[in-house]
Amino acid sequence: MIGPQDAAADRIAPPDPHVVVLFGASGDLARRKLLPGLFHLDRAGHLSDCRVVGTSLEAMSDAEFRILAREACEQFGRGRFDEEEWDRFERRLSWVDGSLGPMALADAVSEAEAEIGERSRRLHYLSVPPAAAAQVIRTLADAGLTERSRVVMEKPFGTDLASARELNAMVHEVFEEDQVFRIDHFLGKEAALNILALRFANGLFEPIWSRNFIDHVQIDVPETLTVEGRGSFYDATGAFRDMVVTHLFQVLAFVAMEPPVELAPKAITVEKEKVFRSMKGIRPRDVVRGQYEGYHDEPGVEPGSGTETFIALECRIDNWRWSGVPFYLRTGKGLAEGARIISIAFREPPKSMFPEGSGVGLKGPDHLTFDLDESSRISLSYYGKRPGPGMLVDKLSMQFSLNEIETQGDTLEAYERLIRDAMGGDHTLFNTAEGIEELWNTAAPMLEDPPEAIVYPRGSWGPVEMHDLIAPHRWRLPFQRRWRG
C-alpha cells in the first residue's frame, strides 16, 4: 500500500517468507542496487525469512557468490557495515550455474525452500538484458517455478508497440498479469510518492491542479554521464526509448492523473492508464533530438549512428483537466548537470495594478518544483515585497527537504521499496501490459519519422533548438536560484 512503509515497519508486517531468484546476479545492477538493497531490507526488518538464489551463465561457488555480494554491499550499501548483520545475511545466499539448465535451478530453489518451509513464495528478479528476458521466462516454466511466484522485469519493455505486444503475449503464456511486475525505479522514489501526498492530502493544491491555474509543466532529467561502456545497448535504444517512454511518461501520469477512489494499486492504475489513453501521439515537429560530440567514438556504437543521446519534446493530454496545457519533457546524456525535477508553472495574474519597474513577473511565473533526488525536496516560489520603501518585489521560495525530518534515516531507496512491494503483491508503482502498450502507441509517430539528431557539445544543456520548442517559456534548468542547503 502507498504510505511511509519504511518509517512504519512496526505497523506494517513484512511480506511472507520468500526465495528470491536473482537472474544476472553477478551483473552491474545486482552489485550496485539489488544485493545491497536486499541486505538493507533484511537488516532493517523489512523481510521475514528469506533466501537469495543467485544465477547467471557462469560457474561460481556459494562462497564466491557471498564474497561478490559482500564486496557489493560494502562498496554500494548504505550505513555502517555490521559484521553480525552480514553473517546472518550471507547464510541466506546461494548460487546456481545457469548454464546447467532448468532442473539445476529447480533443485537450488527447492533446497532453499526446504530451509524456510512450505509457506514461502518465490520472487524472480530478471536483472538481465531485454533480449534475454524471453529465455529466462521459458527457463522458469521448464523448471516448474511459476506457482506461488511473482516476476520482476526490468525496462525497456519492448522497443515499439509490436515488440511490446509480442513480449506481453509471451509472458502471459507462463504468468498471469497479476504475477508480473514491470519495474520503473523512478516511481519508487519518495519524491514520486510525495506528488500523490501533496496533491490529494491537501485542500490547498488539488483545487488549482488544472488548466485553469497551471500554464505548463516541465519534467527534466539531464545526466552528466555519457553511455559509460553501454554503447551497444544504448545505440539500439536511445534516449526516447530508454528514458521517456519508460520513465518520464510514468512520472507524468502521477502529475496528471485524476484522484483515485482510494490509494490502492488497482485504483491508481486505473487513473494512470486514463492519462495514457488521453495522451496524443508525439508529433515529430514537437521533438528536438540531439547527439553529444564524440558519441560515434564510444565502444559498441555503430559508425554513423543516428541514435539520439538527448531529447526534448512537447506532450499533450487531451482531457478536461489538461486540455491546452503543454507538458515539456527533456533528458539527455553528457549534459551540464545531473538532476531530476518536475516543475509546475502557474498562470500569471494581471500586473496592471503594480507600478512599472516593480519586478512583478520579471523572473517568470510562480512554480511548484519537485526534486526527485533522494533528498526529495519541494519548493514553492512566489513574489513577495522587498523590505523598504515603495513596491518592489523579489522572487522568494518556501522549501522542504526530506533531510529535515526525524525519520529521514528510515527511507527506503527506490529499488528497496519496489522489491518489498513486489514481494507483497502491491502493483501501485509498477506498469501493466495495457499501460505499456498505450505508451508505445503514443510514441509511434515519433518513432516512425524521427527528426535528425543535432550534435551538441558535451557539458552543454543540449541543442540550442530546444529553446525554440518551449518558447515563449524557458527551461527551468539551470536554476537561477539554488536549493538551500
Side-chain angles (χ1 to χ4, degrees):
M1 291 293 293
I2 288 289
Q5 298 175 349
D6 41 326
D10 57 333
R11 295 195 303 272
I12 300 178
D16 292 335
H18 266 75
V19 173
V20 178
V21 183
L22 182 53
F23 292 88
S26 60
D28 190 62
L29 177 62
R31 291 177 57 252
R32 288 178 177 271
K33 295 293 184 181
L34 304 182
L35 289 168
L38 286 164
F39 180 39
H40 181 260
L41 286 171
D42 183 56
R43 68 193 297 191
H46 290 286
L47 299 181
S48 50
D49 207 356
C50 178
R51 297 294 182 274
V52 179
V53 177
T55 183
S56 69
L57 297 177
E58 60 185 285
M60 191 182 300
S61 67
D62 289 354
E64 289 171 324
F65 178 47
R66 288 167 180 170
I67 291 172
L68 179 151
R70 179 186 178 116
E71 291 174 349
C73 292
E74 286 181 328
Q75 182 176 0
F76 301 110
R78 295 190 290 151
R80 183 177 59 86
F81 189 89
D82 183 274
E83 290 291 346
E84 185 176 339
E85 292 172 336
W86 174 254
D87 289 345
R88 184 183 68 248
F89 181 70
E90 76 166 356
R91 291 194 293 270
R92 303 173 184 265
L93 306 179
S94 61
W95 182 265
V96 59
D97 182 351
S99 65
L100 299 179
M103 297 320 298
L105 179 64
D107 290 343
V109 172
S110 178
E111 183 177 337
E113 288 178 334
E115 297 178 9
I116 58 178
E118 297 179 355
R119 288 179 51 245
S120 64
R121 299 188 61 92
R122 302 160 181 161
L123 183 73
H124 307 302
Y125 197 115
L126 276 59
S127 179
V128 298
Q135 181 56 50
V136 172
I137 294 293
R138 295 188 184 98
T139 296
L140 290 170
D142 293 342
L145 296 176
T146 60
E147 292 183 4
R148 310 190 318 279
S149 292
R150 300 182 176 109
V151 58
V152 180
M153 303 189 69
E154 279 284 340
K155 59 91 175 177
F157 202 86
T159 58
D160 55 20
L161 180 58
S163 61
R165 285 174 171 167
E166 182 179 351
L167 184 54
N168 280 329
M170 183 278 299
V171 171
H172 289 158
E173 290 177 3
V174 178
F175 291 99
E176 299 295 329
E177 176 63 18
D178 63 2
Q179 294 178 278
V180 184
F181 292 76
R182 299 167 186 83
I183 198 166
D184 176 4
H185 69 272
F186 267 49
L187 295 188
K189 295 178 178 292
E190 285 287 343
L193 297 174
N194 229 349
I195 298 170
L196 300 185
L198 187 132
R199 282 191 61 187
F200 302 131
N202 298 286
L204 174 62
F205 292 106
E206 182 56 24
I208 60 172
W209 211 264
S210 73
R211 58 188 168 85
N212 296 322
F213 298 95
I214 292 177
D215 184 78
H216 67 278
V217 177
Q218 295 182 31
I219 302 175
D220 209 351
V221 186
E223 298 180 88
T224 57
L225 296 175
T226 59
V227 297
E228 301 294 320
R230 299 169 64 236
S232 297
F233 163 78
Y234 199 88
D235 201 45
T237 307
F240 184 67
R241 289 182 171 94
D242 186 46
M243 288 293 293
V244 176
V245 178
T246 306
H247 293 317
L248 272 59
F249 282 165
Q250 297 292 332
V251 174
L252 181 152
F254 268 23
V255 175
M257 63 188 280
E258 295 296 320
V261 295
E262 59 178 333
L263 286 181
K266 289 185 178 179
I268 291 174
T269 297
V270 165
E271 299 305 333
K272 282 176 54 184
E273 293 183 355
K274 285 180 183 177
V275 174
F276 298 154
R277 289 194 294 273
S278 299
M279 291 167 61
K280 294 185 176 181
I282 304 301
R283 302 175 298 193
R285 70 172 184 265
D286 293 333
V287 176
V288 174
R289 296 171 71 243
Q291 185 184 93
Y292 64 74
E293 290 179 347
Y295 175 71
H296 291 153
D297 299 328
E298 299 280 7
V301 172
E302 291 292 325
S305 169
T307 297
E308 79 282 350
T309 62
F310 169 97
I311 191 160
L313 60 88
E314 177 185 330
C315 181
R316 298 157 298 146
I317 301 176
D318 189 17
N319 64 18
W320 185 262
R321 181 181 291 261
W322 296 112
S323 179
V325 177
F327 285 70
Y328 297 107
L329 280 54
R330 178 175 65 166
T331 188
K333 298 282 191 183
L335 299 180
E337 294 180 19
R340 299 178 175 93
I341 71 156
I342 303 167
S343 186
I344 315 292
F346 294 100
R347 294 193 181 278
E348 297 190 60
K351 305 180 183 68
S352 55
M353 66 178 286
F354 290 90
E356 186 175 352
S358 65
V360 173
L362 187 63
K363 295 184 178 179
D366 302 336
H367 284 87
L368 178 64
T369 303
F370 296 88
D371 184 347
L372 298 184
D373 248 333
E374 297 303 332
S375 56
S376 187
R377 295 174 293 195
I378 300 173
S379 172
L380 178 62
S381 68
Y382 59 96
Y383 287 96
K385 184 183 179 302
R386 182 186 303 174
M391 179 53 76
L392 297 177
V393 299
D394 284 327
K395 202 67 176 291
L396 309 175
S397 68
M398 294 184 288
Q399 296 187 9
F400 161 80
S401 171
L402 192 67
N403 296 331
E404 298 174 13
I405 61 176
E406 293 180 358
T407 55
Q408 64 89 18
D410 297 321
T411 302
L412 294 184
E413 288 188 340
Y415 277 102
E416 295 167 358
R417 180 187 300 278
L418 293 170
I419 289 171
R420 192 188 191 286
D421 285 355
M423 285 181 169
D426 186 340
H427 279 86
T428 301
L429 302 177
F430 296 86
N431 305 320
T432 67
E434 182 179 351
I436 290 288
E437 292 178 14
E438 282 289 349
L439 292 179
W440 284 120
N441 188 49
T442 298
M446 206 292 292
L447 293 174
E448 292 167 1
D449 186 24
E452 183 178 352
I454 304 163
V455 175
Y456 62 92
R458 286 174 57 172
S460 70
W461 283 97
V464 296
E465 287 80 359
M466 66 180 178
H467 299 297
D468 296 330
L469 173 71
I470 201 171
H473 312 300
R474 293 183 299 177
W475 293 102
R476 287 273 284 157
L477 289 177
F479 283 135
Q480 294 178 340
R481 178 188 297 103
R482 295 292 173 185
W483 293 97
R484 290 197 287 271

